[in-house]
Amino acid sequence: MSSDNGSKEQDKQLLTALQEAILSYEEEEALSVAEKIVASKVDPLRIMNTTIADVARLVGEKYESGEIFLPHLVMAGDIMSKVSDILESSLPSGESAKLGGNTVVIGTVESDIHSIGKSIVAMLLKANGFKVFDLGVDVKSEQFIKEAESQNANILAMSSLLTTTLLYQKEVIEDLDRLNLRKKYKVLIGGGPVTKKWADEINADGYGKDAIDGVEVAKSMVIH
């Protein structure tokens, strides 16, 4: 019993060390801790969906509050991506393969320059084994569709943080219909003003109420 408690305490210390290394932008330390976590046999998917998700959320909050700036966001995201690669490499081959062939094209819709929520979703999708192409912000319908076609994507994910830009999510789906491409893609939408009702109204395939939920919906779209 005491050895179990000791093991749990050690795991907790490793996870804390991982968070601190990422938040301090210490890449070598973060990767070293990730290797130790793999050796300790902690469930890697649980780490990606809890510890990494928590750090991503915290980094996002720091960015939105002005405590850190875009270069810090990029650095943290790069470290999290590399840590996730290490954790994912220890997944049973079947688990990793379930998502490994799935590609997501993601972006914030036209006339909307909010990036943090979309960036967190992109990070978490990568952490869960998706291949992700992040188009950034203020993405026009034609750009979403062109990139989805170019990358042979499975999922097209759109974020909108303004009620005034919600219509651009609808526009992308209408354009997919017009081009006879709608059946090729699962369309996932999210963002502050987005609701399940809106998703149903514009015929989106899925809606994520937050980043974690969005990733779970994306996983449900491709794993049958």
Side-chain angles (χ1 to χ4, degrees):
M1 188 74 143
S2 59
S3 64
D4 283 349
N5 289 337
S7 176
K8 286 179 181 177
E9 183 59 34
Q10 183 183 28
D11 291 347
K12 185 177 178 183
Q13 289 174 359
L14 284 171
L15 300 185
T16 299
L18 178 61
Q19 283 189 323
E20 290 176 350
I22 294 170
L23 291 172
S24 301
Y25 316 107
E26 296 174 5
E27 182 175 316
E28 286 187 18
E29 176 64 15
L31 301 185
S32 173
V33 174
E35 296 283 6
K36 291 175 184 175
I37 289 171
V38 168
S40 72
K41 307 296 184 187
V42 180
D43 176 16
L45 264 184
R46 180 173 68 82
I47 304 307
M48 288 190 271
N49 285 319
T50 56
T51 304
I52 298 294
D54 288 344
V55 176
R57 196 177 296 111
L58 185 55
V59 169
E61 289 171 358
K62 285 175 175 283
Y63 177 70
E64 286 204 322
S65 69
E67 188 177 338
I68 64 172
F69 301 98
L70 186 59
H72 304 101
L73 186 69
V74 172
M75 275 193 292
D78 187 49
I79 294 171
M80 281 187 272
S81 179
K82 290 177 180 177
V83 165
S84 296
D85 286 343
I86 291 173
L87 296 174
E88 188 188 348
S89 70
S90 68
L91 283 171
S93 57
E95 281 295 308
S96 185
K98 284 179 184 176
L99 298 173
N102 291 288
T103 299
V104 181
V105 165
I106 188 171
T108 303
V109 296
E110 184 177 348
S111 298
D112 196 327
I113 59 170
H114 292 84
S115 66
I116 190 60
K118 177 267 303 168
S119 297
I120 291 175
V121 173
M123 274 189 247
L124 294 182
L125 286 168
K126 287 178 186 175
N128 279 272
F130 286 90
K131 189 174 183 181
V132 178
F133 290 88
D134 188 344
L135 304 183
V137 300
D138 189 20
V139 182
K140 290 180 168 53
S141 176
E142 61 193 47
Q143 190 179 352
F144 271 118
I145 295 171
K146 180 180 178 182
E147 196 69 16
E149 286 284 279
S150 172
Q151 302 303 336
N152 195 26
N154 307 79
I155 296 174
L156 200 162
M158 296 181 282
S159 174
S160 174
L161 273 293
L162 301 170
T163 54
T164 53
T165 61
L166 283 176
L167 286 174
Y168 291 114
Q169 292 182 331
K170 181 180 181 182
E171 180 182 297
V172 173
I173 293 174
E174 289 176 342
D175 285 347
L176 286 170
D177 277 326
R178 180 173 53 80
L179 296 167
N180 293 317
L181 296 173
R182 182 65 184 89
K183 291 181 180 179
K184 286 184 69 174
Y185 306 106
K186 297 291 187 182
V187 177
L188 173 63
I189 64 171
V194 180
T195 62
K196 175 69 165 58
K197 181 181 177 183
W198 173 247
D200 291 341
E201 185 178 323
I202 66 173
N203 198 31
D205 297 291
Y207 149 71
K209 66 179 183 294
D210 55 33
I212 301 295
D213 187 50
V215 173
E216 289 305 310
V217 172
K219 286 160 69 174
S220 73
M221 287 176 166
V222 295
I223 296 178
H224 302 289

